[in-house]
Amino acid sequence: MGKRRQRALLAVIGVASVVLGVLVSAGPASAAPTRYEAENATISQGAVESNHLNFSGAGFVNNDNVAGSYTQWTVNAASAGTATITIRYSNGTTTARPADIAVNGTVVSAAASFGSTTNWDTWAGKTLTAPVKAGSNTIRVTATTANGPPNLDYLDFEVGSGSGGGAPTAAELLAKVTTCNQISNGKYKTDSDVATATIAVCQKTGAVFWKADMDIDCDGVRTTQCNENTDCCFQADTACHTSGNTPLNAAQLPYVVVPSASAIWNYTNYQIGCGTVVAVIYNNQVLYAVVGDTGPTGIIGEASYATASALGINPDPSNGGTDSGVTYIVFQGSQRVSPIENHNNAVTLGQSLARTFVNSN
């Protein structure tokens, strides 16, 4: 991948605080998921602990640092269907902790990447979808390396109804973006050193989308992962700010970078701004992120360190990313994630908007 040397906030920072700064609270999903605390699950080679902050319930599970250690939940589904599963975890190391996620004994996400959350007091959610049967189901997270799995707080579980409810799968979303009604005035490059612009912004009912690569954005708050030493082009600010008016944390928050407004395409004309939800699809996974930063006017296909890490993409800002295979579906409208730094709110709103998108196209 060619590293984006042109990445900059340009003059858009001053504009962004006006155009993008107003965030509208996320609306509720059609049904609340059922929460299953990890401390009530079956634990193999691990223990319930409470020596870190911000966990839910009575504690969290710290599995041993050994391949094969696992936590298994037993959940109940009122009917068979596609379940949306969100696993809340913490990983205070700088290295992802992969784990197999199995439903009823079948691995549905092999060596799923549980990326760094910066420290053990910070938690993130990993969301996936999988088929389940009516009645009792098991969901197991098993470490695949000697580092063990991340700390596990809880599992949220929800089954969509047969009439089109619940969060759509990656396949359902991709089936709606097979053709392009181009709305950009021309196309974008994937990197500054690429000769030809090949990526168009396309329109569907309720969303715009593009299919591109993923370069790593590491701007904003200085962290172990994102700073002047790890990223040649590091900038200590992002176009969008938190509810406390501070830059976003690229190592912690899944967010997407949109091209700055230009003659090619102006995102502000399409009800898109800070906190707009984006479904990022890669390798049959769906991650709900927010619009969090702006980039060069002629380049597209960039997301935060946390976005890449959650999708199992190398998040290193100097040599990470992927050359292709990433679909970005940006949901238009006034509904935004508030506060923008709350990833769980992004997942809740994103799942609802994604279902509406699938049903409307």
Side-chain angles (χ1 to χ4, degrees):
M1 285 68 64
K3 176 64 180 175
R4 288 197 182 131
R5 310 284 174 184
Q6 303 177 33
R7 201 176 64 222
L9 299 181
L10 308 173
V12 76
I13 294 178
V15 178
S17 60
V18 178
V19 176
L20 304 181
V22 179
L23 302 178
V24 180
S25 297
S30 56
T34 301
R35 180 157 297 173
Y36 296 86
E37 295 288 348
E39 60 266 29
N40 300 324
T42 299
I43 304 166
S44 174
Q45 297 175 283
V48 176
E49 297 180 354
S50 58
N51 58 327
H52 296 297
L53 302 177
N54 305 316
F55 57 83
S56 171
F60 57 86
V61 172
N62 179 4
N63 284 106
D64 294 347
N65 293 350
V66 59
S69 59
Y70 69 80
T71 297
Q72 178 173 295
W73 290 265
T74 299
V75 301
N76 186 71
S79 60
T82 298
T84 298
I85 301 163
T86 298
I87 300 165
R88 191 173 193 245
Y89 75 94
S90 179
N91 176 7
T93 73
T94 58
T95 304
R97 294 199 166 190
D100 286 344
I101 302 173
V103 176
N104 296 325
T106 300
V107 174
V108 296
S109 183
S113 176
F114 289 86
S116 172
T117 58
T118 305
N119 57 62
W120 294 107
D121 298 325
T122 302
W123 301 84
K126 185 168 190 65
T127 301
L128 68 154
T129 57
V132 294
K133 62 184 180 180
S136 179
N137 295 264
T138 60
I139 301 172
R140 179 182 293 191
V141 176
T142 305
T144 58
T145 72
N147 290 329
N151 287 349
L152 299 169
D153 188 20
Y154 61 70
L155 180 148
D156 278 348
F157 179 80
E158 181 181 11
V159 181
S161 68
S163 58
T169 64
E172 286 181 278
L173 288 167
L174 291 175
K176 302 299 180 179
V177 293
T178 56
T179 59
C180 176
N181 175 25
Q182 184 173 330
I183 57 172
S184 56
N185 182 27
K187 296 182 178 180
Y188 289 95
K189 295 181 179 181
T190 54
D191 293 285
S192 58
D193 57 2
V194 171
T196 305
T198 59
I199 309 300
V201 177
C202 311
Q203 176 79 69
K204 298 291 286 190
T205 301
V208 303
F209 73 92
W210 55 88
K211 299 180 180 183
D213 65 339
M214 182 183 290
D215 284 338
I216 309 303
D217 185 86
C218 232
D219 292 338
V221 175
R222 287 181 177 85
T223 62
T224 301
Q225 301 88 345
C226 297
N227 56 65
E228 293 87 346
N229 295 323
T230 62
D231 184 357
C232 70
C233 312
F234 175 79
Q235 297 180 76
D237 204 355
T238 50
C240 302
H241 281 184
T242 68
S243 55
N245 198 30
T246 60
L248 301 182
N249 186 330
Q252 179 177 325
L253 181 68
Y255 69 74
V256 168
V257 180
V258 295
S260 296
S262 71
I264 300 175
W265 180 61
N266 186 341
Y267 61 91
T268 66
N269 293 336
Y270 288 84
Q271 291 186 292
I272 295 169
C274 288
T276 292
V277 182
V278 186
V280 186
I281 306 168
Y282 176 77
N283 196 24
N284 202 35
Q285 303 172 88
V286 182
L287 176 71
Y288 293 101
V290 292
V291 171
D293 203 357
T294 56
T297 57
I299 299 174
I300 204 166
E302 186 174 10
S304 68
Y305 182 108
T307 303
S309 180
L311 290 169
I313 297 170
N314 179 4
D316 190 318
S318 64
N319 59 24
T322 182
D323 283 330
S324 62
V326 185
T327 299
Y328 303 82
I329 303 176
V330 186
F331 301 111
Q332 299 169 254
S334 61
Q335 294 190 79
R336 309 284 170 85
V337 176
S338 179
I340 191 173
E341 64 268 24
N342 190 315
H343 179 58
N344 287 339
N345 285 357
V347 173
T348 299
L349 180 57
Q351 290 173 346
S352 176
L353 294 175
R355 174 50 62 190
T356 298
F357 171 78
V358 168
N359 291 343
S360 300
N361 286 277

